[in-house]
Amino acid sequence: MSTAAKQTRTNRTITVDFRDDATYAQMLGDGKAFVEFVCAFLLALGFQLAHKVTCRGGGCLTRHSHYVRLRLGGLTIWRIQCTTCRAVFTVLPHFVLRYRQMRPEVARDALLATHGGLSLELCAVIGHISPMALYRLICALGQQSLVGVLTRCGLPLPVYFLADEKHSHCLTDKVYLPTIVTSRVLWHLGYTTEASAAAFAQSYGEFQRAAVQQEPSYRVKGVLTDGFDSTTKSLRTLFPGIRVGICLRHALIKLPKKLVAIASPVRKALRTQFHTLWYRARQRKGLRVFALGQRLRHFVDDVTSTAGAANGERIRRWFQDKKAGWYAVLADPQMPATSTLLDQAHNAIDRKLFMMKGFHHLGGSQGAFLTGLAHLYNLIPYQRRALNAGKCGVEVEGGRVPTADWMLNLQILTSGGFRPAGMGATT
Ligand SMILES: [Zn+2]
């Protein structure tokens, strides 16, 4: 079963916004004007074409570029070839989806409904398409990596991030979705059938390889987890020297369960005290780690005196187990402290995941499907409040999207033939 988005041959399709069908039809008769329009579009986006590694063609096309017209399902499409490296770029107008009969307007409604949590079957009813056609469309979008699309939007690779695995089901099998999040953006949404460190390292390794390919000097400084052993091990293997923190909010949630056989008011009082402890520890500017160690010891003493020796000992062992992860959070002011945003991303993805059950089959494209869903999560506007109204996650994080239309952005950004200006050529 495939866990990674496969790419068998280099896809150099580019989607170009011709604004309306008539402009495109007009351009078809004039090769020179057509190439000039494509170049101006690239320049406006700040993109270059993904030529071959050896090419010194300058990332765009020249008026000497060869072009041919071909008919594709009743539509005339242009192919442009770089005269230097002979890379061939297929230019798709905005009103056509790659390899698909589906109109973008139909795809737009179906994808939006999918993203909103409606089953693939019902989304297909809305657009009068087959559920499998919609599944394949999402998989096709998922052929482009999240790292590739996000860096095209100008987002810097994350130096600190949140990582955790979503537990899910495929038919009756337990599966895990290793996830990397910064704020409102998903950088990785993988798929494994095991919860071992090796399986997670394989999945998080896909993110690492994509990131290093974009930026060979890429280094991660810190990651926040929920403290699961396989997660920590896999990340330490992939990113030697990384600071691994444990979510502070989880510490607060877990505390009451660690206090056994005591009256409710005592438990409540200790929880409040624990909350204050964290608040004070995070308020401090310097020596935060030293102060936390002291406060945790005092707290164990208080538990012992109010809730008994057994509870005190349980809390002490729990602190012993987790404190390195908590120290890691407090030792670096740039470390994220809670994994709330990752939980939000998982909740959003969860609404769609039950749809996978019906489409699960050996040799299926779980990896590509999940990556496709993650693109929707990153690029569909979600903000309703005034400050960021109408913005998608990428924009909220300071990234640039090519146009004001999310569907067109999705088409353009998941085209294989683009790369951000100033970056090395791809193979
Ligand atoms: Zn070239």
Side-chain angles (χ1 to χ4, degrees):
M1 149 180 353
S2 139
T3 54
K6 274 183 274 184
Q7 195 151 13
T8 41
R9 89 187 105 88
T10 306
N11 155 22
R12 284 198 173 83
T13 303
I14 60 171
T15 296
V16 172
D17 180 12
F18 287 92
R19 290 188 216 107
D20 52 67
D21 301 22
T23 309
Y24 182 70
Q26 197 187 328
M27 293 274 172
L28 282 178
D30 186 345
K32 187 167 165 286
F34 187 87
V35 171
E36 274 169 9
F37 188 95
V38 171
C39 283
F41 176 77
L42 286 168
L43 207 64
L45 256 52
F47 286 172
Q48 295 188 339
L49 293 176
H51 289 250
K52 291 182 185 170
V53 185
T54 47
C55 185
R56 301 192 193 286
C60 202
L61 299 158
T62 66
R63 59 197 170 83
H64 303 296
S65 302
H66 296 156
Y67 37 84
V68 290
R69 281 188 291 185
L70 54 125
R71 298 284 289 177
L72 208 80
L75 182 84
T76 306
I77 300 280
W78 284 76
R79 281 212 171 122
I80 309 179
Q81 185 176 41
C82 169
T83 42
T84 313
C85 70
R86 312 228 153 258
V88 176
F89 300 90
T90 304
V91 182
L92 280 190
H94 59 281
F95 52 85
V96 176
L97 291 176
R98 185 171 170 240
Y99 298 146
R100 255 147 262 278
Q101 302 292 326
M102 209 186 294
R103 299 274 301 177
E105 306 87 77
V106 173
R108 176 195 305 270
D109 290 346
L111 289 173
L112 196 58
T114 301
H115 177 68
L118 200 63
S119 70
L120 283 185
E121 293 85 339
L122 288 179
C123 292
V125 170
I126 290 177
H128 306 289
I129 49 178
S130 80
M132 195 44 102
L134 180 55
Y135 175 82
R136 290 208 184 99
L137 171 65
I138 297 170
C139 291
L141 297 171
Q143 295 299 318
Q144 289 296 313
S145 78
L146 289 162
V147 168
V149 167
L150 293 173
T151 50
R152 273 172 204 178
C153 298
L155 287 180
L157 291 168
V159 179
Y160 296 88
F161 56 71
L162 311 174
D164 190 22
E165 301 80 28
K166 174 84 194 160
H167 294 210
S168 188
H169 282 90
C170 228
L171 294 179
T172 56
D173 296 338
K174 274 197 95 168
V175 298
Y176 309 87
L177 315 182
T179 309
I180 292 178
V181 159
T182 55
S183 303
R184 188 45 181 62
V185 165
L186 275 166
W187 284 92
H188 178 68
L189 187 60
Y191 181 91
T192 70
T193 51
E194 278 170 65
S196 65
F200 290 171
Q202 167 105 35
S203 180
Y204 288 122
E206 288 165 23
F207 162 79
Q208 187 212 30
R209 279 190 299 281
V212 168
Q213 204 183 10
Q214 293 287 336
E215 195 181 307
S217 64
Y218 177 58
R219 291 286 174 277
V220 180
K221 284 194 184 151
V223 56
L224 191 78
T225 70
D226 288 348
F228 189 55
D229 207 34
S230 294
T231 316
T232 309
K233 274 187 189 149
S234 63
L235 291 166
R236 284 197 197 283
T237 309
L238 287 168
F239 304 102
I242 191 177
R243 201 187 279 281
V244 181
I246 298 180
C247 173
L248 301 186
R249 198 176 58 92
H250 274 75
L252 276 172
I253 295 169
K254 288 260 174 70
L255 178 80
K257 289 171 203 145
K258 302 276 173 189
L259 298 165
V260 183
I262 54 168
S264 172
V266 179
R267 185 180 287 117
K268 265 189 191 151
L270 285 169
R271 191 180 186 276
T272 307
Q273 196 184 334
F274 196 50
H275 194 281
T276 311
L277 179 157
W278 283 114
Y279 180 76
R280 297 240 168 90
R282 292 188 65 197
Q283 285 283 321
R284 273 186 79 105
K285 290 276 182 286
L287 292 174
R288 299 208 294 180
V289 169
F290 177 73
L292 179 65
Q294 224 169 26
R295 289 202 172 101
L296 290 176
R297 279 193 298 279
H298 286 162
F299 187 75
V300 170
D301 292 344
D302 288 348
V303 170
T304 307
S305 65
T306 58
N311 277 315
E313 180 56 20
R314 195 176 308 109
I315 295 291
R316 194 190 61 77
R317 282 201 304 266
W318 179 48
F319 285 179
Q320 198 63 36
D321 197 33
K322 301 291 178 192
K323 69 180 181 190
W326 295 335
Y327 289 171
V329 172
L330 292 181
D332 183 342
Q334 285 180 277
M335 277 286 285
T338 73
S339 58
T340 310
L341 289 156
L342 194 141
D343 296 343
Q344 283 175 7
H346 274 164
N347 291 341
I349 293 296
D350 205 30
R351 290 199 294 270
K352 298 141 212 157
L353 278 179
F354 71 93
M355 304 180 304
M356 285 191 72
K357 292 182 189 174
F359 287 84
H360 178 69
H361 55 287
L362 284 174
S365 320
Q366 285 85 350
F369 184 75
L370 287 164
T371 304
L373 288 180
H375 285 313
L376 299 179
Y377 180 81
N378 290 341
L379 290 170
I380 291 182
Y382 74 103
Q383 281 281 350
R384 294 291 168 267
R385 304 225 176 116
L387 180 63
N388 288 315
K391 286 188 180 171
C392 65
V394 167
E395 290 173 286
V396 169
E397 295 318 309
R400 293 180 316 270
V401 286
T403 74
D405 179 337
W406 67 265
M407 181 65 200
L408 192 50
N409 292 337
L410 196 63
Q411 289 170 257
I412 293 170
L413 290 165
T414 57
S415 298
F418 291 126
R419 62 184 164 87
M423 298 205 40
T426 59
T427 46

